[in-house]
Amino acid sequence: MENVMTSAKVNIESELLQLGLKGVNNGTSTGQKFFASGEELSSYSPVDGSLIGTVKITTQADYEMVVASATEAFKRWRLVPAPKRGEIVRQFGEKLRHHKQALGKLVSYEMGKSLQEGLGEVQEMIDICDFAVGLSRQLYGLTMHSERPGHRMYEQWHPLGIVGIISAFNFPVAVWSWNSALAWICGDVCIWKASEKAPLCAVACQNIWNEVATENNLPEGISSIITGGADVGNWMVSDTRVPLISATGSTRMGRIVGSKVAERFGKSLLELGGNNAIIVTENADLQMTIIGAVFGACGTAGQRCTTTRRLIIHENVYEEVVAKMKAAYGQLRIGNPLNETNHVGPLIDQGAVKLYLKSIEEAKAQGGKIVVEGGILEGKGYESGCYVKPCIIEVKDSSLPIVQHETFAPILYIMKYSTLEQAIEMQNGVVQGLSSSIMTTNMRQAEKFLSTEGSDCGIANVNIGTSGAEIGGAFGGEKETGGGRESGSDAWRNYMRRQTNTINYSSSLPLAQGIKFDF
C-alpha cells in the first residue's frame, strides 16, 4: 500500500484497504487486471490538502489494450441472457451495500462533499442496480399489424457494444453507475474515463466490480477504466469502435464531445450545465422553502449541476424570505465534510475558488448587492484553502451576464417578481434547462408551472428544491444542458439499438404500399 495513503489527518486508510485498492498506482484497467505505463496523476483531498494517492495516466498503447479487451468481452457478454446479466448487476449492488460506508467516506474525502452526501451517492448506485435488475426482464419491444396479409411485424432491441462514460468530479461514482448498470443489463460493456480530480473513486469502483467478475468467472473488459486529461477522453470520443459516448460536464466540454461524436455518426448522451431556479410564490410554505433553497444552494458547496443558483421571490414575501435566508445562512457550519455536524465542505480545488471570487466581483460590477457576504475561510481546519462562505447576491435584472452564467460554487442570486407569468419568464430566461422548482400551496399555480406554458426544464418540481433527483425518473435537461436522459424511466433505450423485423409466413410476396412488380 505504499503511496496509497499519505495523510494521517483522516482515518481512511482502513477503508482503502477494505476496498482492496491493489491497483491504486495504476490508472488503467481492462477489468480484473490493473496496468498503466504513463506519467503519474496525484489526487489531493480538498478537505485538508493532503496527497491521498497517485495513479498512472493511460497511454495510447494502454488505451488500445482496453478497447481490445472490451471488444472481446462484448462478444461474450451480449450472448448472456438479459436476466442473467441482471443477476450480475444484483451481485454488484450487494457488494456496494457491503462497501457503502467505505466508498461513501472515500467519495467525501476525495471530492469534498459532506459524508451524508457521499453515502447518499453510494445509495444512488445501489438504487440504480436494483432498478436495472428489474429492468433486465423488461427490455420490451412492440408488435405491429402489417398491411400485408400473412406478415408479422415487431421490433426488438440489441446491445450497442462499447459504451464510453465520461464523468465529472462532483458525482465521482453515481453518474458512472447510472450509465454502467443500465448498459450492462442491455448487453453492453463499459469504458469509464473518470474525472482526473477524483481518480481513486474510480479505482475503488473497479475493484468492487472485480470482486463480482472474479467470483462469476466473467471475462475482462466488461468494465474498464482509463485515467487522464482531455487527450485521453478525446481518444474515446473520436473512436468509431465506441458507438455511444455518455458525457457529464460543462457546456463547453459538451460542445466538443457532441460535435466530435456526431462527426463520426456516433451517439452521444450529454448531461451538461444547469442554472436552476426556485420560484417562491406568495402562497409558499416558507419553512419548506427555506430548507429546500438552502440545501439546493449550499449542498455539495454549490457544485451540483442541479444546484439552486437563482431564487425568484414574489414581491409580497420578498423581505420575509430574504430575512429567513440570511438567518439560515448564519447557522451553516462549514468545515471538514467527514464531520457529520458540518453542512458545507470545500470546493474541489484552488481553481474553483478563483472562479468563485471572480464571479462575486463580476456580480458587484454589474450592480449586484451583497446580502450575505462571501469569502475564503482561513485558519485551523481550512488549510487546504478550498473552503468558502456561501454567498447571496440581490440583483434587479435577471438578464445580467453573471446571472446567465453557471458558476460551480455556492453563490445564490435573488430577485423579485410580481406575476407568475413574469416569474416563469425569468425562470426560463437562461440558456440552460436542467432543473426548476416552484414553492406554492396554490394548485393552479403549481399546475401552470408544470404545463406547456410553464417550466422549460427537463426537471420541474413542486414544493421541493431543484436538487435531489431519484433514480426512477429520467434525469436530464433541455437547451444547453444537452437534452440527454439518464437513469430511470426508458433511459435504457439510449444503450441499445432498435431493430424492426417483418416476417412473411405466407406463400406469396406482396409488396408494401400496394406496389406491383411482376415479371
Side-chain angles (χ1 to χ4, degrees), residues 300-320:
T300 323
Q303 297 173 115
R304 290 182 178 221
C305 53
T306 54
T307 290
T308 303
R309 309 207 179 277
R310 298 174 294 144
L311 205 58
I312 304 170
I313 310 168
H314 192 275
E315 57 190 8
N316 290 351
V317 294
Y318 185 83
E319 297 301 331
E320 184 178 2

Side-chain angles (χ1 to χ4, degrees), residues 166 168 170 246-259 268-276 304-307 309 406 408 431-435 475-486:
I166 300 173
N170 59 333
S246 178
T248 302
S250 67
T251 300
R252 181 190 62 81
M253 180 274 286
R255 284 196 175 94
I256 296 171
V257 171
S259 62
S268 60
L269 200 171
L270 303 176
E271 296 291 354
L272 311 175
N275 194 348
N276 317 293
R304 290 182 178 221
C305 53
T306 54
T307 290
R309 309 207 179 277
E406 179 195 31
F408 237 47
V431 295
Q432 306 89 351
L434 180 52
S435 187
F475 181 89
E478 302 299 326
K479 302 188 289 189
E480 290 192 6
T481 298
R485 293 296 185 273
E486 293 176 320

Side-chain angles (χ1 to χ4, degrees), residues 147-149 509-518:
E147 66 185 57
R148 290 166 285 183
L509 188 63
L511 300 178
Q513 293 83 49
I515 295 173
K516 300 296 182 181
F517 192 74
D518 298 325

Side-chain angles (χ1 to χ4, degrees), residues 112-416:
K113 64 175 59 178
S114 73
L115 180 57
Q116 283 298 310
E117 291 182 81
L119 294 171
E121 185 167 345
V122 181
Q123 186 60 49
E124 279 193 66
M125 302 176 75
I126 295 168
D127 292 344
I128 195 65
C129 285
D130 288 349
F131 179 84
V133 172
L135 194 63
S136 67
R137 295 180 182 269
Q138 303 177 64
L139 303 176
Y140 300 134
L142 298 172
T143 59
M144 291 79 74
H145 289 280
S146 173
E147 66 185 57
R148 290 166 285 183
H151 286 61
R152 180 168 67 90
M153 291 180 64
Y154 71 98
E155 68 177 24
Q156 60 180 329
W157 295 82
H158 295 295
L160 285 174
I162 300 174
V163 173
I165 304 167
I166 300 173
S167 63
F169 73 86
N170 59 333
F171 280 85
V173 296
V175 172
W176 166 72
S177 71
W178 290 359
N179 287 274
S180 60
L182 296 189
W184 288 334
I185 63 103
C186 289
D188 300 317
V189 298
C190 300
I191 299 176
W192 178 20
K193 188 226 171 276
S195 169
E196 59 269 35
K197 297 181 181 181
L200 301 187
C201 288
V203 173
C205 291
Q206 186 66 30
N207 275 281
I208 295 172
W209 166 262
N210 285 349
E211 292 179 15
V212 176
T214 300
E215 290 167 5
N216 289 273
N217 196 30
L218 297 176
E220 290 185 2
I222 296 174
S223 177
S224 305
I225 59 173
I226 55 177
T227 303
D231 54 341
V232 175
N234 186 56
W235 298 335
M236 190 165 65
V237 167
S238 305
D239 195 338
T240 57
R241 296 168 294 181
V242 184
L244 172 64
I245 297 291
S246 178
T248 302
S250 67
T251 300
R252 181 190 62 81
M253 180 274 286
R255 284 196 175 94
I256 296 171
V257 171
S259 62
K260 287 189 175 182
V261 174
E263 190 175 70
R264 61 177 177 85
F265 296 105
K267 296 175 62 177
S268 60
L269 200 171
L270 303 176
E271 296 291 354
L272 311 175
N275 194 348
N276 317 293
I278 296 177
I279 296 174
V280 183
T281 72
E282 71 276 27
N283 301 301
D285 180 323
L286 295 189
Q287 182 177 1
M288 291 172 57
T289 297
I290 300 306
I291 295 172
V294 174
F295 176 73
C298 303
T300 323
Q303 297 173 115
R304 290 182 178 221
C305 53
T306 54
T307 290
T308 303
R309 309 207 179 277
R310 298 174 294 144
L311 205 58
I312 304 170
I313 310 168
H314 192 275
E315 57 190 8
N316 290 351
V317 294
Y318 185 83
E319 297 301 331
E320 184 178 2
V321 171
V322 171
K324 289 180 179 293
M325 289 292 292
K326 289 173 67 174
Y329 270 51
Q331 299 176 55
L332 289 174
R333 291 184 293 274
I334 307 168
N336 188 326
L338 295 176
N339 180 344
E340 294 189 66
T341 64
N342 289 326
H343 299 107
V344 182
L347 292 177
I348 186 65
D349 56 24
Q350 294 287 340
V353 174
K354 290 178 181 177
L355 289 175
Y356 158 83
L357 294 174
K358 181 183 177 186
S359 294
I360 292 175
E361 291 306 311
E362 288 182 6
K364 290 179 181 178
Q366 293 172 27
K369 175 186 174 183
I370 300 297
V371 174
V372 174
E373 192 75 43
I376 303 174
L377 290 167
E378 298 176 339
K380 187 177 180 180
Y382 304 126
E383 290 86 356
S384 70
C386 295
Y387 292 87
V388 301
K389 301 175 186 177
C391 175
I392 300 178
I393 303 175
E394 179 185 64
V395 295
K396 302 294 185 183
D397 184 356
S398 63
S399 65
L400 290 176
I402 191 62
V403 179
Q404 297 285 309
H405 175 71
E406 179 195 31
T407 301
F408 237 47
I411 301 173
L412 178 65
Y413 301 104
I414 58 174
M415 57 205 79
K416 290 181 186 178

